[in-house]
Amino acid sequence: MSKSVTISQATLPGLLPNVEAERLARSFYFVEENNELFISRMPTAVEREVMHKRAQEIEHALQPISSEQRLRIEAAAAIASLLVGYGVGRADKESQQTVTVYVKHLDGVPLFAIKAACADYIENRVFSIDPRSGAHIYPDRTYPPSTPALRAQAQKYVDALWHEQLRFSRALRARRAIKAEVDEAQRERIGAGLARLKEDLAANRGAPEFEREAEERRALRRQCFAAEAYARNARL
């Protein structure tokens, strides 16, 4: 089965790429344990603001054209522009009905993705790859793309943006950082510290024994002094 690809990615209409925000989101990695999400490091307040702003832009862009009549009208204009290149006029009733069908079939797709997919077909950026020869197979330019074909092309842009939004969501949702791994130098420092602590504990355990022996020596000296005093008094 051949695989449809795009020669080069079109600029997303109405949503410019934010390289800074995407690079920031890609700098984090995540671990999920017991339904809790851990992040490689907690983002700073400025980083959170950058990602939150981009996430809001994406959420707005992912709204399907069914959410607003204005979006349907813009989608219809983009589709009509595509169909004109295939000999489908703008003014006649049949052409208008064709555009209406396209809009209805693409009702759940965001506007930016429809515009990007239309631009791909207009600029001949869509082709398939023959699995045996690897040759590029372009769609028949005699007929316009079907609504499933146009939707599949638009879905690629939706998926790419959805995955970008997911990275921001995970980074903003994480509440705990992953414990940093201990390297060899840190292990040596920790080992030395534990050795010193062990020596200190051993010394502390020996202190009561030393004090007991000292107290016994003091008691013995007191007994000696008492005996000497008793002997002197007896001689008197």
Side-chain angles (χ1 to χ4, degrees):
M1 180 181 293
S2 60
K3 182 180 180 181
S4 178
V5 297
T6 304
I7 294 178
S8 59
Q9 182 174 345
T11 301
L12 304 184
L15 186 69
L16 297 177
N18 190 324
V19 178
E20 178 187 1
E22 186 171 4
R23 185 179 301 161
L24 175 60
R26 289 180 181 275
S27 68
F28 299 103
Y29 64 90
F30 307 90
V31 174
E32 191 165 350
E33 294 181 0
N34 299 324
N35 296 324
E36 187 173 6
L37 188 65
F38 294 84
I39 192 171
S40 54
R41 66 174 180 83
M42 296 303 296
T44 65
V46 174
E47 291 173 338
R48 293 183 68 86
E49 183 179 355
V50 170
M51 291 188 291
H52 181 68
K53 181 179 179 182
R54 178 61 174 177
Q56 286 184 319
E57 292 175 354
I58 293 175
E59 183 177 358
H60 179 73
L62 287 175
Q63 290 182 351
I65 60 173
S66 59
S67 61
E68 292 184 40
Q69 182 62 23
R70 173 186 62 83
L71 299 178
R72 288 195 185 96
I73 294 173
E74 289 190 47
I79 293 168
S81 179
L82 167 66
L83 296 180
V84 164
Y86 292 92
V88 181
R90 288 177 181 266
D92 60 280
K93 185 177 180 179
E94 184 178 350
S95 299
Q96 292 176 357
Q97 290 176 341
T98 301
V99 172
T100 300
V101 170
Y102 270 80
V103 171
K104 182 178 180 180
H105 288 184
L106 299 172
D107 214 31
V109 181
L111 177 63
F112 86 93
I114 294 175
K115 288 184 175 181
C118 289
D120 284 340
Y121 276 100
I122 290 173
E123 299 178 23
N124 202 28
R125 289 196 293 254
V126 180
F127 61 87
S128 300
I129 299 177
D130 189 293
R132 295 182 178 179
S133 65
H136 294 176
I137 304 174
Y138 291 89
D140 187 352
R141 300 288 293 175
T142 306
Y143 304 99
S146 63
T147 52
L150 191 60
R151 187 187 187 98
Q153 186 66 18
Q155 190 63 41
K156 296 176 183 178
Y157 292 96
V158 174
D159 291 345
L161 207 59
W162 184 83
H163 285 297
E164 183 183 349
Q165 185 190 42
L166 179 61
R167 285 192 292 271
F168 295 132
S169 175
R170 286 165 66 86
L172 294 171
R173 184 164 52 92
R175 291 292 177 266
R176 294 178 61 185
I178 301 171
K179 293 181 180 180
E181 295 184 1
V182 180
D183 56 26
E184 191 61 33
Q186 288 176 317
R187 288 194 184 93
E188 292 180 359
R189 289 195 296 271
I190 293 172
L194 290 175
R196 288 193 299 270
L197 179 60
K198 184 177 180 180
E199 293 174 358
D200 293 341
L201 290 175
N204 290 335
R205 284 197 300 269
E209 181 68 20
F210 175 80
E211 292 178 0
R212 185 182 62 80
E213 293 177 354
E215 181 59 33
E216 289 178 353
R217 287 193 294 270
R218 287 193 293 271
L220 183 59
R221 283 198 295 271
R222 286 195 295 271
Q223 291 176 3
C224 291
F225 292 151
E228 292 177 358
Y230 178 79
R232 286 195 298 271
N233 290 334
R235 285 195 297 272
L236 295 175

